[in-house]
Amino acid sequence: MDLDMQHLLSEFSNEASELLGKAESEIIELEKNQDSDRINAIFRYIHTVKGNSGMFEFSRMSKLAHALENLLGKYREKRIEITREVIDLMLSSVDKLKDILNHLKEEEYADIDELCNHLKSVADNLSNNKIDTANPEHTKAEI
């Protein structure tokens, strides 16, 4: 890898780490205050991580950030509410993104499918109150 690419990857890693840290702090604050500025900030942080990871072809990282971004978008559209379970899911997603960032050489092997599916399921169904956010495979009618 040439020095320019190493420098760019280093910049990407530093910026992503900073953005994910900010996103995590803002998500934790959601329990106290769910104002739109906070949600918009989290959305921007995750959107930037998604775009930058896509630029470097970190497809697994980009896919997970995209799924989290979609969930945040549903809230911005007033289609879902932020519950404790949703906050936990967002924090788990940020933790996984940090883990991927810390192991970029193995990024293509990151196990994100279940988490992405859970994010999608909650984003698609929570506003209709059809899903148990603790277990996305069971509808409330089945529990």
Side-chain angles (χ1 to χ4, degrees):
M1 182 181 308
D2 65 27
L3 289 177
D4 287 338
M5 184 55 87
Q6 284 179 330
H7 176 73
L8 289 173
L9 281 173
S10 177
E11 288 295 316
F12 162 75
S13 182
N14 290 338
E15 181 182 28
S17 180
E18 181 181 331
L19 292 170
L20 292 171
K22 288 179 178 181
E24 181 177 51
S25 295
E26 294 291 347
I27 293 167
I28 290 169
E29 290 298 314
L30 282 177
E31 279 192 304
K32 299 174 195 165
N33 185 357
Q34 295 185 14
D35 66 78
S36 60
D37 289 340
R38 177 162 283 119
I39 294 292
N40 288 334
I42 298 166
F43 185 91
R44 282 191 313 274
Y45 300 145
I46 299 304
H47 178 78
T48 302
V49 169
K50 179 193 78 171
N52 291 349
S53 60
M55 182 176 66
F56 283 100
E57 298 181 357
F58 295 129
S59 61
R60 306 296 284 165
M61 188 173 194
S62 181
K63 180 179 178 180
L64 178 54
H66 182 71
L68 179 53
E69 181 185 55
N70 284 343
L71 179 70
L72 291 162
K74 298 285 184 173
Y75 178 80
R76 290 171 81 190
E77 297 166 0
K78 309 278 191 252
R79 294 178 64 194
I80 66 168
E81 293 182 25
I82 301 294
T83 63
R84 178 69 213 162
E85 292 82 12
V86 171
I87 290 170
D88 288 345
L89 180 58
M90 289 191 291
L91 288 171
S92 294
S93 300
V94 170
D95 285 346
K96 186 63 174 183
L97 287 166
K98 286 179 175 182
D99 184 53
I100 293 169
L101 183 63
N102 290 329
H103 300 94
L104 283 177
K105 290 182 180 176
E106 295 88 29
E107 187 271 347
E108 66 186 285
Y109 304 109
D111 183 16
I112 62 162
D113 294 330
E114 184 176 333
L115 188 52
C116 285
N117 289 337
H118 194 171
L119 284 162
K120 182 179 180 344
S121 179
V122 170
D124 289 347
N125 299 312
L126 190 60
S127 63
N128 296 327
N129 201 25
K130 291 182 181 175
I131 195 152
D132 174 8
T133 57
N135 187 351
E137 297 180 27
H138 298 286
T139 62
K140 291 198 180 227
E142 295 173 332
I143 295 177

